[in-house]
Amino acid sequence: MSVAEDRRFMGAALRLSGWHLGMTKDNPSVGCVIVKDGVILGAAVTALGGRPHAETQALDVAGEAARGATAYVTLEPCSHFGHTPPCANALVAAGVARVVACLPDPDPRVSGRGVAILRNAGIQVDVGLMQDEARRALGAYLTRRTSRRPQVTLKLAISADGMLGRRGEEVMITGPLARAQVHVLRAESDAILVGIGTALADDPELTVRLPGMGGRSPIRIVLDRRLELPITSNLVRSARQVPVIVASVGDTAAEAQPERQLRRDALANSGVEVLEKESLTELLHVLADREISSLFVEGGATVAAAFFADGLADRIILSQGPVEIGEGGLESPLTPSNMPADFALIRAERYGPDLCYEYERSI
């Protein structure tokens, strides 16, 4: 295979990997393409729920024709026995001649062992093709594995003059196309987070409301130190359908504990889980331990500033509409003209009259 052909087929595997983002539990959403003589014999993505893995599904599609083929995989094939046998062993048994992988798997149960199994069987293994693209596609999984926290994406809707809106007023900054993209981002995430200010002002549902995607709503989290989320809110009323966590972060020693316990009990009796942690970092560690790899933060300026202050932001998405708020508006802490130096623009698109900028912390 030429380098151009390798990139073409790996590009297909990377596109496949995006199909099940947010729906594979603790496993990464991996893409695999089996190719021989320039023809794709089998292709798959990690199944919903995380199993079966992409490689075994693609091999099943290819069947006996996989012997002598090349497997393009976005992450090193697994080497450990879990609910299913290792994918590396499956590739050996199928008789593939070559495996091309974007990245080694940081999971300590794999971490080079998958490559070793393949090479010891006489299979040619090439690692590193399109690794930057793969780090982006697998960013949530890699962050959880290497940093024991979810990958954090901050999203802000800002006006043409860099405002978030007006205090006490509802201002529609972006149009329907840009707002639909927000629902796509929710669907790709394991959890979504807002601050109590947003929850009180907007009474949001924070679910995915695109046709056919209602089942992809993420876990909903509210930063709420004083446990002020109303029992009558849309979030609480729907907590038994889509999980809700109220996260109280910070020192609560000065609060009246009997009253706080009453609020806590009321939330719990309504199906809301209450987590009390000392810091955002501790909260993110707990979420990672629960196999939450991606966290989509839709809070306003206060929440965004808190994540930045603790160095916990990995991606930033700014949706900028053409409306101007003018004097008295709430100034956004982030605009395209004042992004931190360690964040690079990786995507700029237009949705109708709105602009969307995506930044990520330098790889």
Side-chain angles (χ1 to χ4, degrees):
M1 291 280 188
S2 67
V3 173
E5 288 178 309
D6 280 346
R7 290 185 64 86
R8 179 162 66 93
F9 291 120
M10 187 61 81
L14 284 165
R15 286 189 292 275
L16 272 174
S17 74
W19 285 13
H20 288 169
L21 285 176
M23 298 188 293
T24 56
K25 294 188 177 179
D26 62 325
N27 286 328
S29 184
V30 171
C32 177
V33 176
I34 310 293
V35 179
K36 185 161 66 177
D37 298 327
V39 177
I40 294 177
L41 305 174
V45 59
T46 305
L48 300 179
R51 294 179 180 83
H53 291 180
E55 297 93 321
T56 54
Q57 294 181 85
L59 288 171
D60 285 345
V61 175
E64 286 299 319
R67 190 163 300 278
T70 295
Y72 294 89
V73 193
T74 56
L75 188 69
E76 176 185 6
C78 68
S79 58
H80 59 285
F81 283 86
H83 293 279
T84 56
C87 291
N89 295 60
L91 289 163
V92 171
V96 302
R98 180 179 177 229
V99 173
V100 183
C102 296
L103 295 170
D105 190 339
D107 185 337
R109 297 171 299 176
V110 185
S111 194
R113 293 181 179 87
V115 169
I117 289 171
L118 296 169
R119 286 179 173 157
N120 289 340
I123 295 172
Q124 179 185 344
V125 181
D126 300 310
V127 180
L129 179 68
M130 301 180 73
Q131 56 185 318
D132 286 350
E133 293 89 338
R135 286 194 186 99
R136 190 163 295 130
L138 294 164
Y141 170 77
L142 297 174
T143 300
R144 180 170 63 84
R145 280 292 178 198
T146 58
S147 301
R148 198 188 152 212
R149 65 169 179 81
Q151 182 187 49
V152 174
T153 299
L154 298 182
K155 180 266 175 186
L156 293 171
I158 62 174
S159 65
D161 53 351
M163 302 294 175
L164 297 173
R166 287 183 181 276
R167 194 175 303 279
E169 294 183 27
E170 183 177 358
V171 180
M172 200 66 71
I173 291 176
T174 56
L177 287 177
R179 293 197 296 274
Q181 287 302 308
V182 172
H183 286 267
V184 172
L185 292 166
R186 289 178 181 180
E188 293 176 346
S189 302
D190 295 326
I192 181 172
L193 181 147
V194 299
I196 185 60
T198 297
L200 293 175
D202 299 344
D203 193 20
E205 293 182 10
L206 302 181
T207 52
V208 177
R209 296 189 296 277
L210 295 178
M213 298 179 70
R216 295 186 60 168
S217 294
I219 294 170
R220 300 166 297 169
I221 303 172
V222 181
L223 282 184
D224 180 10
R225 190 172 69 81
R226 296 184 180 87
L227 310 184
E228 297 175 299
L229 186 66
I231 303 302
T232 56
S233 66
N234 284 324
L235 285 165
V236 174
R237 288 191 298 167
S238 59
R240 299 192 190 279
Q241 288 73 52
V242 180
V244 174
I245 297 173
V246 166
S248 175
V249 174
D251 184 10
T252 62
E255 294 190 25
Q257 293 307 310
E259 294 178 12
R260 182 179 179 83
Q261 188 61 48
L262 286 174
R263 295 195 296 271
R264 183 188 179 102
D265 290 345
L267 289 167
N269 290 336
S270 299
V272 175
E273 180 182 3
V274 178
L275 288 177
E276 295 181 293
K277 300 299 171 184
E278 293 184 1
S279 67
L280 279 177
T281 299
E282 185 183 358
L283 172 64
L284 295 192
H285 286 332
V286 171
L287 297 181
D289 292 344
R290 296 186 178 192
E291 301 177 353
I292 293 175
S293 298
S294 53
L295 179 64
F296 185 49
V297 178
E298 277 196 60
T302 301
V303 171
F307 276 89
F308 260 101
D310 289 353
L312 298 173
D314 301 297
R315 298 167 67 217
I316 300 166
I317 295 177
L318 298 181
S319 292
Q320 189 167 37
V323 64
E324 292 193 1
I325 303 297
E327 186 177 351
L330 298 172
E331 189 171 347
S332 173
L334 299 168
T335 69
S337 61
N338 72 348
M339 293 301 300
D342 57 340
F343 278 81
L345 178 67
I346 62 169
R347 183 173 63 92
E349 294 181 344
R350 180 180 289 276
Y351 299 111
D354 304 317
L355 297 172
C356 180
Y357 303 97
E358 182 176 348
Y359 303 84
E360 70 176 9
R361 195 182 294 277
S362 300
I363 295 176

